[in-house]
Amino acid sequence: MASKLFYNDIIPLNRDKHRTLHIDSSKGDASFAEHTHYVPLAASEFYQASKDYPILFAGEGDSAGAIALLGLRENENLFVSDDKRWIKGTYVPAFVRRYPFILARNETQSDFTICFDQSYAGFSDDSGDALFDEEGKESSYLGGVIDFLNRYTRELEMTAGFVSWLQEHDLLATRTLRVSDRFGRNFFLNDFRVVDEEKLAKLEDNQLGELHKKGWLGLIYAHLISLGCITRLPEHLEPPEETVEDITIQ
């Protein structure tokens, strides 16, 4: 799955080059995500995210993962309002909350480097939270960012294990999902996968016990419950300006 999506100009954070860099979140908004119709989701987010978004699975093999579906058309996020803010009262996925920072593996793939999207409007040299102090040491703000990024990375690694288990036991089935809105438009979601409930019910007791012991059985049920959110996505759509044909996204 894509791991960068709305990141445009990623560069490594350097304590010497960026000694005076500040970030003022009040100058930013969620416009960076307004053309993103899905984002990766960590398993630890399933319970909260399932209240607002359909949780689906995408990709194959090592690239497979969980996503939160944010829209019914490509390049459209139904959860960014007209004022460019995330819709109040809905869960904001960690993938969105970590922006404009990101951890990137170094050339040897043995460690991570803290990077940021320098195109983010909230950066300046004199306003907001400093990333480094006068001595070039990490500020408390940056320390919090690093802690969040590290925890999120570990959670994604755990999620990869969960999705791998589902694949190994052939529990993910490809479905074409159809959603209709009140204006008569039909939206088809292709190449997304969901847990096959019939195969889930046929698991051996020891396999169910393994799921329960790992804490993954609840994640499966959160995913299945979240599918009901698909029918609520059209509520956020604006009326069409003209007659349109059926819409398909992948």
Side-chain angles (χ1 to χ4, degrees), residues 42-45 94 150-160:
S44 58
E45 303 179 87
N150 285 328
R151 284 188 287 108
Y152 181 60
T153 298
R154 290 194 297 269
E155 289 167 0
L156 286 179
E157 290 174 347
M158 188 276 281
T159 306

Side-chain angles (χ1 to χ4, degrees), residues 40-55:
L41 199 68
S44 58
E45 303 179 87
F46 275 30
Y47 296 114
Q48 290 175 288
S50 64
K51 301 174 184 177
D52 300 308
Y53 315 106
I55 300 172

Side-chain angles (χ1 to χ4, degrees), residues 61-73:
D62 293 339
S63 66
I67 65 165
L69 186 65
L70 306 176
L72 292 169
R73 293 179 287 206

Side-chain angles (χ1 to χ4, degrees), residues 56-242:
L56 304 172
F57 297 93
E60 298 284 346
D62 293 339
S63 66
I67 65 165
L69 186 65
L70 306 176
L72 292 169
R73 293 179 287 206
E74 291 185 5
N75 304 317
E76 179 183 65
N77 185 344
L78 296 174
F79 292 87
V80 175
S81 59
D82 291 339
D83 63 357
K84 306 304 180 183
R85 302 288 175 178
W86 208 268
I87 292 180
K88 186 177 181 180
T90 57
Y91 175 72
V92 182
F95 188 93
V96 177
R97 284 184 279 123
R98 73 173 180 173
Y99 185 83
F101 298 97
I102 188 173
L103 286 184
R105 287 195 181 277
N106 59 22
E107 294 181 356
T108 64
Q109 298 292 305
S110 61
D111 203 355
F112 290 95
T113 299
I114 302 169
C115 300
F116 67 99
D117 186 348
Q118 63 177 347
S119 68
Y120 179 62
F123 286 122
S124 73
D125 288 328
D126 52 19
S127 176
D129 294 297
L131 300 188
F132 300 99
D133 62 20
E134 295 180 355
E135 298 178 355
K137 297 179 180 179
E138 297 169 0
S139 67
S140 58
Y141 175 87
L142 182 57
V145 169
I146 294 173
D147 178 64
F148 176 80
L149 292 175
N150 285 328
R151 284 188 287 108
Y152 181 60
T153 298
R154 290 194 297 269
E155 289 167 0
L156 286 179
E157 290 174 347
M158 188 276 281
T159 306
F162 166 58
V163 177
S164 177
W165 196 97
L166 296 178
Q167 291 186 115
E168 290 173 5
H169 292 80
D170 196 29
L171 286 178
L172 294 180
T174 302
R175 296 280 189 265
T176 294
L177 307 175
R178 174 185 173 184
V179 186
S180 301
D181 69 6
R182 63 186 186 281
F183 308 111
R185 290 175 293 186
N186 294 313
F187 300 84
F188 294 89
L189 313 179
N190 289 342
D191 296 334
F192 293 110
R193 294 189 290 167
V194 300
V195 170
D196 189 318
E197 293 186 71
E198 290 187 8
K199 291 183 178 179
L200 177 65
K202 294 179 181 178
L203 287 179
E204 300 292 337
D205 289 345
N206 65 314
Q207 294 173 324
L208 286 172
E210 183 181 358
L211 277 175
H212 178 71
K213 185 176 181 179
K214 289 179 178 292
W216 292 347
L217 190 57
L219 299 180
I220 291 176
Y221 289 126
H223 149 67
L224 293 173
I225 291 172
S226 79
L227 298 181
C229 294
I230 292 176
T231 59
R232 300 211 315 265
L233 288 178
E235 296 174 3
H236 301 282
L237 290 170
E238 296 293 333
E241 295 181 359
E242 56 185 21

